[in-house]
Amino acid sequence: MAIIASALLARVLWLASISASTLPQRERSSSPMPQYDLPDYISQSIGPYSARYPVYSFRSYKHIPSDLPHGCHVVQVNILQRHGARYPTSGSWSSITSAVSKIKAAALLNPQAAAHSPLAFVSTYNFTLATDSLVDFGRLQAYTSGKYISDHYHHLSSSGTFIRSTSKDRVLESARWFKHGFEGKSFPFPISDLELPDVVIPTGSSNNSTLSVDNCAAAEAAPEDDPNAPNTQWLSIYAAPVAKRLGAFIPGLALTATDANALMSLCGFDTAFRNGKASPWCGIFKKDEWADNEYYWDLEKYYGSSYGLPYAKAQGSGWVNELIARLTGKPVLVTGAINGTLDSDPKTFPLPPNSPSIFADFSSDNNIAHMIAALGILNDANPLPAQGPPPKNHVFVSSKLVPFSTSLVVEKLVCRRQVHLRGHDSAAEDVTASKGTEEYVRMVLNEGVVPLDLQECGKIGVKLGMCRLEDFVKSQSFSQRGGDWDKVCSLH
């Protein structure tokens, strides 16, 4: 049955003009993407449930201007994107339902206390959240992202784009909306009539897929819930006092740390469900509690899906090798999770010069966190401390790295001359170093240029976010050698 996202028509207009929230007004940004109408200290502290927002600096690194050095231009774009905002998963939904039910039950027994507390709205609060699938806000995110890419790289968009997705519903639908926006078609639109991406890779351990890695046996065999996991340790430290504070508003209300964490997540889910309008749940938490909540998700992604997970680099290495193949125009080095059948066929994995100049791969937050680890970017000098306090300038911030509709864009640049550093971290062409052109790589994560703090890239990697293509390929030798797949993923 065709489902028309008609509720979002007004939301499209909101991109140009948005009304103020009852919460403190957030700092308005120039993001092309739809935003939650929340102050930054909340909207940027919901971890992976934040809406993608412009990232102009990565804390301990200086801001890198987005302007390209004189004489350089983009010749290829590789996009790695997460699906748009969604309903909670079944597990999150269960935790949320339990926490809300406790408050409703306590309010029934003590209506006067509840009515005079910040939780007064809960008595009449009704929510009809589903599970797993995209919400309309997430559809608009994916559509807008496709339109933005087409407009921003307009000199390349005429060649079209090649889009891949996993078969998971919310990921696949996001890819379809992206394609729809990229092609400049109307919004809203019947979902059933959206075009499919060029390649849809089935999920599951029986299929090799770099966009949903399910065939690393050791990772699949690992227990899902670890009571000693770093984020669980931090949960008891930061969320238990929050639960106690909320519980004091209504006699008999006994919330747990897990309840408090679930309600903070509900702020993000409910705001997305309301097409970006602030959820009443967002206003019951304090500013420092939001900062601690973000750190909970930083720990969860860091240790659960990225640098702190022993399987992460291996799981992300296959996509890195596919990226290198596109950047160099050479066949994919088949390792680990790579589907050799698909990647050896030019119809399902085209390579330059017989391909579009824009590639887009759609995946999930956990898989993208694997790929970030495999690339070796945005890592902290020291592991994040499980019991806090949160490091002042840590780089691995989940709301920056893997929010809803996150977009890592890897650009291939051609420069007329070799680029080097000039005073004050600005770029200059070295007219004596090369008589021909030079090829470079640059990464842009959610509108922010990523510092390529990779030894092979040299100073221009950190200062300009640029790396000579041949040096970048050298920096990815771990993935090129197979990413330790057999060693890390084997059960023996």
Side-chain angles (χ1 to χ4, degrees), residues 342-354:
L342 292 177
D343 285 9
S344 62
D345 188 339
K347 294 181 180 179
T348 50
F349 197 83
L351 291 172
N354 302 309

Side-chain angles (χ1 to χ4, degrees), residues 5 47 88 131 170 176 199 201 210 241 243 263 303 330 343 347 369 382 386 396 423 426 434 446 454 456 488:
T131 57
R170 59 180 178 263
R176 297 171 74 186
V199 175
I201 307 175
T210 57
L263 295 175
Y303 288 101
K330 298 179 181 178
D343 285 9
K347 294 181 180 179
N382 299 301
F396 197 96
S426 60
S434 173
N446 301 334
L454 305 169
E456 293 81 0
V488 171

